[in-house]
Amino acid sequence: MAVVWQRHPRYSLFIFAVLACTFYLLGPYRGRVPPMSSGRAMAAYDLPSRLARSEKIYNKLLVDRQGLIKKFGPTPKEIDLFPPNVNPWPAYTVWDFFPAAYNCPHEIARLGALGDGGKWVCGLSRVEHKPDCIVYSVGINYESSFEAEILSNTQGCQIWGYDFTVNSFGPQISPAQSSRTHFNAYGLAGTDHTSDDGHKMYTLETLMKMNGHTHIDILKIDIERWEFETLTALIKPYLASGKPLPFGQLQLEVHIWNMSFEEYLTWWEMLEAAGLRPFWTEPNLVYQNYNRGGSTDLAEYSFLNIKGANVFIKDPADHSNHRDD
């Protein structure tokens, strides 16, 4: 070192100055726990904290919705679903009152075909290795890309499908996957009955009893506006009893034909009261394209159930695979 100093005194002074400056700047951080590894910071990223933050964000939406109703109403009775003229401006549609404002605490993936047929799912990884994963799909119409992709990306998921307009799942499900599928030409309704044209209709509760199930991980419903009757009949007893709904998340196509804003708001608030939170939405633009000039009165919604102990809101050590009470 002495030799270097003697031969290159200016270079040695420069190196010394750089080292001194570096140690000075790093001084305040000696002994400090890195922010992301501290207990408080890590707690902010655990599942309960993420859910609590998402609920806080969603609660703000509820306040904002009331403000929007007051602006254009001032009560729900005066609001049109798709107003032809708006005063005050800017314009709105019914979907502006019901955005998917809840943040899924896991990865979000679109499963199935791009366009009509695909659905958005929150945290498929949570059931990837779940041995008793149960999926119900109501409304098939020979388009089973959604179901096929669930089967491809999980090891234990079994899928029960229902649709009285077809005879089986669609061709997207391979022969190798078919051993994990179960199909019946039944319809989903608010009561158990046989329709005028001879189709067997069952409530979700009855279908679950037939299959020996007490909980569904993923529930997909596309039943051409019968979702209002069906979900109302399903949810009201759970609201009355205080028990959580028997499924972890719901993929639903909403058909808002021949409704008033007030009716739709009441129905939607029932979903919210039962613990359903929308984390994704998109309008059905295929339907809109073939009905040009009309309103966009079909929309896809994906909901997370934040009540109970389903696999999407509780870590494995905390939740029961079959019970949410």
Side-chain angles (χ1 to χ4, degrees):
M1 185 68 182
V3 174
V4 173
W5 171 263
Q6 292 172 359
R7 292 183 177 180
H8 307 283
R10 292 183 179 179
Y11 175 76
S12 299
L13 285 173
F14 173 75
I15 295 297
F16 177 79
V18 170
L19 291 174
C21 183
T22 300
F23 283 117
Y24 174 78
L25 292 175
L26 291 176
Y29 294 96
R30 286 197 301 270
R32 180 179 295 182
V33 178
M36 287 302 295
S37 63
S38 67
R40 179 179 297 179
M42 292 300 291
Y45 289 89
D46 64 23
L47 184 54
S49 298
R50 293 199 300 272
L51 290 166
R53 181 168 296 182
S54 293
E55 185 68 2
K56 182 178 179 180
I57 292 170
Y58 196 78
N59 286 335
K60 179 184 180 298
L61 164 73
L62 300 182
V63 175
D64 293 343
R65 180 193 297 158
Q66 292 306 313
L68 201 61
I69 290 173
K70 185 176 181 180
K71 175 181 178 180
F72 291 115
T75 69
K77 188 174 295 186
E78 286 83 46
I79 295 178
D80 293 324
L81 295 177
F82 302 96
N85 297 293
V86 177
N87 186 23
W89 195 261
Y92 69 88
T93 74
V94 60
W95 308 120
D96 294 315
F97 294 82
F98 307 99
Y102 195 85
N103 293 331
C104 162
H106 314 292
E107 82 285 355
I108 299 178
R110 183 181 176 85
L111 304 182
L114 294 178
D116 199 26
K119 308 292 179 185
W120 293 91
V121 173
C122 169
L124 186 66
S125 60
R126 302 287 286 188
V127 296
E128 181 180 0
H129 303 290
K130 189 171 184 280
D132 58 350
C133 165
I134 297 171
V135 178
Y136 276 36
S137 179
V138 186
I140 305 296
N141 196 27
Y142 289 124
E143 212 304 318
S144 297
S145 58
F146 170 73
E147 295 81 3
E149 198 156 352
I150 288 181
L151 294 169
S152 296
N153 288 280
T154 63
Q155 297 178 356
C157 285
Q158 300 268 338
I159 300 181
W160 276 258
Y162 299 99
D163 190 333
F164 61 77
T165 69
V166 297
N167 298 317
S168 68
F169 283 102
Q172 296 82 8
I173 293 179
S174 69
Q177 295 173 326
S178 61
S179 62
R180 289 196 280 144
T181 63
H182 317 268
F183 179 86
N184 282 287
Y186 302 153
L188 185 66
T191 60
D192 297 336
H193 66 280
T194 300
S195 66
D196 294 339
D197 47 4
H199 299 301
K200 293 181 178 180
M201 311 294 291
Y202 296 105
T203 66
L204 184 66
E205 181 182 19
T206 297
L207 293 175
M208 292 177 69
K209 286 181 179 179
M210 287 180 178
N211 301 323
H213 297 150
T214 59
H215 181 75
I216 301 168
D217 292 295
I218 298 173
L219 172 62
K220 187 211 85 175
I221 297 178
D222 183 358
I223 51 177
E224 307 303 313
R225 202 185 181 280
W226 290 102
E227 64 269 14
F228 296 103
E229 174 192 317
T230 299
L231 289 176
T232 298
L234 169 68
I235 289 174
K236 281 191 172 181
Y238 284 91
L239 285 176
S241 67
K243 292 183 178 181
L245 294 171
F247 51 84
Q249 63 180 282
L250 169 67
Q251 281 67 40
L252 178 71
E253 183 164 52
V254 178
H255 309 75
I256 202 167
W257 301 317
N258 303 316
M259 292 190 77
S260 69
F261 178 87
E262 186 176 30
E263 290 171 330
Y264 186 70
L265 175 65
T266 299
W267 180 80
W268 183 274
E269 289 178 338
M270 177 191 67
L271 305 187
E272 291 174 329
L276 296 180
R277 298 289 183 269
F279 64 84
W280 199 276
T281 186
E282 61 184 27
N284 187 325
L285 297 179
V286 173
Y287 173 84
Q288 174 69 8
N289 183 55
Y290 284 97
N291 292 273
R292 299 188 181 198
S295 55
T296 310
D297 43 10
L298 272 64
E300 300 276 359
Y301 275 94
S302 294
F303 299 85
L304 187 66
N305 179 12
I306 65 166
K307 292 188 177 181
N310 68 71
V311 70
F312 303 106
I313 64 169
K314 297 289 183 182
D315 287 322
D318 301 328
H319 75 81
S320 165
N321 288 336
H322 294 288
R323 296 185 61 187
D324 278 337
D325 50 7

